[in-house]
Amino acid sequence: MTIEIELKFIATPQAAEKLGETLAAWPHQHFAARELTNIYFETDDNQLRRWDMGLRIRGVDQRYEMTLKAAGKTVGGLHQRPEYNVDLTEPTLDIAQLPAEIWPEGTDVAALQQRLQPLFSTHFQREAWLVQFGESEIEVAFDRGDVAAGELSEPLYEVELELKSGQRADMLQFAEALITAGGLRLGSLSKAARGYQLAQGNPARPLRALALQKIGAKATVEQGMVNAMTAGLNQWQYHEEVWLRGNADAKEAVMDALETLRQAFSLFGALVPRKASSDLRQKLTRLDELLADAEIDAETACFSPVSVGAQLALTHWLVESQWQNWLDDKSKSKLQGSFKRFSDIMLSRIAADLRETFVDVQLFNEFQDKSTRLNRQLLAVHLLAGAYPAEEVNVWLAGWQELQHAIRIQQDRGLIQLVNLAIRPSPFWLNSGVKR
């Protein structure tokens, strides 16, 4: 078993073709392109997917390898997953050769083998460079081909950075230098994720509202902060993909994701010094200015170094815990405190602010003026309320969400009654039954 640490980019064809020229700036070895074929296996009820596993056989130069990738962690385009590899003499699946302990307890491996069938495949040429950067060796692979499931397929133009030796921070800094050439964007979707989408008939990806962010009742404030910012980043990348696939409404969802990140910075601003995130927040502000252009198209925006640089900076900030360099002992102690207790305090303040903001409002244009504040506070609740029973949170949210919707559709009657309904439910953070 190895821990694979990769940073994945989607490339434009033009940027991909110039990759070799770009990499000439660093010491490297070049490896000529090879043909790779991967066949991915799954059960008819997507059992491996539900276990967050991926299973494939890769063929290259008449050699075959079976690989199982187990549940891991993805932040931005940085993928970190345990990986198990077994050499095969022929392209025949034999999961009995994998370590028995990787399967969930009670798994009948022989029965699972019988249920596994090819689901989709990838075919591509891989050209590679082994780059020296800082104290590290980084493999840069350019994959050009397609992923296919049945009669459906889509092209692949991917650039993957894999840390072969050294420090993860070196790989992230190298990526920051690489993206300045343009034509790259972070890829949160693996080849396998794209293959599963095709195998399901490639349905259009819907817009999705920010979900309540689930987190353990004993989580620290720092864990809650990382959870909140990762949620904003995931929303951003998901809707970026939807926008690029033709849904123009996803642009607004991307902007909402950036607002989610701003709310996260605001929530934890008293614990993490502003100077710890000033460069990152400046990058996000420049992206806001770029997206303010009503005529900008998805490809221009999403492949812009402004957008990619902001995503990569946030990824770097999160996975390397860069705020730690700016903390004194008192701040460190507060970040290790109870996220649940922190949420109790913040949710009480949000409820008081919403009541004060809306309880005496009478005119429709006043409601409109205060809608931005309402939207931000409801985003904050979604980031804070993960340790409480979702049904209780949703009961409390329902009235404010109805008011939010009424303002959005410019309903000019009944708004005062909606406010009165919204302030009626008891605070879930005082009546949830969750121990504090």
Side-chain angles (χ1 to χ4, degrees):
M1 189 270 286
T2 59
I3 299 294
E4 180 185 57
I5 302 178
E6 291 185 334
L7 195 60
K8 298 178 183 291
F9 291 94
I10 307 299
T12 63
Q14 297 81 2
E17 296 297 343
K18 295 179 180 178
L19 184 60
E21 297 176 26
T22 303
L23 293 174
W26 296 280
H28 68 273
Q29 292 176 266
H30 176 252
F31 301 90
R34 299 186 299 170
E35 293 279 349
L36 278 71
T37 296
N38 299 283
I39 300 173
Y40 289 78
F41 294 83
E42 184 55 280
T43 66
D44 57 3
D45 62 351
N46 286 345
Q47 179 64 75
L48 296 183
R49 190 70 167 166
R50 287 187 280 120
W51 286 338
D52 196 15
M53 292 180 170
L55 179 64
R56 74 177 185 220
I57 290 178
R58 168 170 289 175
V60 55
D61 300 334
Q62 301 303 309
R63 296 178 58 189
Y64 304 98
E65 182 180 63
M66 177 173 61
T67 296
L68 183 134
K69 295 189 179 185
K73 183 178 180 181
T74 298
V75 178
L78 186 73
H79 301 248
Q80 302 176 90
R81 303 187 71 177
E83 180 177 285
Y84 302 84
N85 298 297
V86 177
D87 290 331
L88 301 175
T89 56
E90 57 184 25
T92 302
L93 193 67
D94 183 8
I95 63 172
Q97 295 193 49
L98 292 164
E101 64 270 15
I102 68 175
W103 305 109
E105 186 175 354
T107 299
D108 186 332
V109 176
L112 179 61
Q113 168 85 38
Q114 294 298 316
R115 296 169 58 206
L116 290 166
Q117 298 293 330
L119 182 64
F120 58 89
S121 61
T122 61
H123 311 271
F124 53 88
Q125 285 190 331
R126 168 166 288 184
E127 188 176 3
W129 297 259
L130 189 62
V131 177
Q132 301 290 325
F133 185 89
E135 301 299 318
S136 304
E137 281 193 335
I138 302 161
E139 182 184 75
V140 181
F142 166 40
D143 294 341
R144 173 174 52 195
D146 62 68
V147 54
E151 297 181 354
L152 297 176
S153 66
E154 64 177 47
L156 289 175
Y157 284 92
E158 293 186 353
V159 175
E160 294 183 357
L161 312 186
E162 181 175 355
L163 185 65
K164 290 299 187 181
S165 66
Q167 303 299 316
R168 182 177 58 189
D170 279 347
M171 186 173 73
L172 290 162
Q173 288 173 6
F174 172 68
E176 289 170 0
L178 190 62
I179 64 171
T180 58
L184 299 176
R185 67 178 180 89
L186 283 170
S188 59
L189 295 179
S190 65
K191 293 182 180 70
R194 296 167 72 179
Y196 274 99
Q197 181 77 7
L198 289 174
Q200 295 166 3
N202 202 23
R205 293 164 173 82
L207 301 181
R208 66 184 190 192
L210 180 68
L212 294 176
Q213 295 307 299
K214 302 309 295 179
I215 192 167
K218 296 183 178 180
T220 66
V221 176
E222 186 171 46
Q223 289 170 331
M225 179 181 73
V226 171
N227 197 56
M229 293 185 178
T230 301
L233 178 56
N234 290 342
Q235 283 286 96
W236 177 5
Q237 291 190 311
Y238 174 84
H239 289 105
E240 184 179 83
E241 190 77 29
V242 176
W243 189 17
L244 283 161
R245 290 174 181 267
N247 186 339
D249 292 337
K251 178 186 177 183
E252 183 175 348
V254 168
M255 298 173 75
D256 287 343
L258 297 178
E259 183 60 49
T260 301
L261 288 169
R262 278 190 291 274
Q263 278 305 105
F265 279 114
S266 176
L267 285 171
F268 300 95
L271 303 178
V272 176
R274 286 182 63 82
K275 57 188 177 183
S277 61
S278 59
D279 182 63
L280 175 55
R281 287 183 287 104
Q282 287 172 14
K283 285 181 167 62
L284 293 172
T285 297
R286 287 195 289 272
L287 178 56
D288 283 331
E289 293 167 354
L290 180 73
L291 294 175
D293 180 358
E295 301 301 319
I296 196 167
D297 62 86
E299 183 159 331
T300 300
C302 298
F303 282 93
S304 162
V306 174
S307 177
V308 183
Q311 275 192 17
L312 188 57
L314 179 56
T315 299
H316 197 165
W317 200 78
L318 289 170
V319 301
E320 293 291 314
S321 303
Q322 290 185 328
W323 56 88
Q324 286 286 343
N325 299 328
W326 301 88
L327 301 181
D328 57 23
D329 290 342
K330 184 177 180 180
S331 296
K332 289 180 181 179
S333 177
K334 287 182 177 180
L335 279 179
Q336 291 309 305
S338 166
F339 179 61
K340 174 69 172 54
R341 191 172 297 112
F342 173 83
S343 296
D344 287 345
I345 295 168
M346 300 305 292
L347 288 165
S348 293
R349 291 177 181 174
I350 289 169
D353 179 77
L354 287 173
R355 174 185 282 271
E356 182 180 345
T357 300
F358 286 100
V359 75
D360 292 324
V361 175
Q362 300 289 326
L363 302 177
F364 175 65
N365 63 342
E366 292 182 274
F367 279 100
Q368 284 189 310
D369 291 343
K370 298 177 185 296
S371 63
T372 298
R373 191 176 193 89
L374 173 61
N375 296 341
R376 289 174 176 171
Q377 296 290 41
L378 295 187
L379 284 175
V381 173
H382 279 77
L383 297 175
L384 291 166
Y388 303 88
E391 61 273 15
E392 296 184 18
V393 180
N394 288 327
V395 167
W396 188 89
L397 279 171
W400 293 111
Q401 289 172 330
E402 191 170 351
L403 175 64
Q404 180 186 43
H405 177 70
I407 297 172
R408 186 172 292 157
I409 65 172
Q410 299 189 356
Q411 176 182 321
D412 59 358
R413 294 185 179 182
L415 298 180
I416 296 172
Q417 289 85 346
L418 289 177
V419 171
N420 292 332
L421 289 173
I423 63 178
R424 186 176 297 173
S426 300
F428 61 84
W429 55 97
L430 299 178
N431 297 281
S432 66
V434 179
K435 293 182 179 179
R436 293 192 288 276

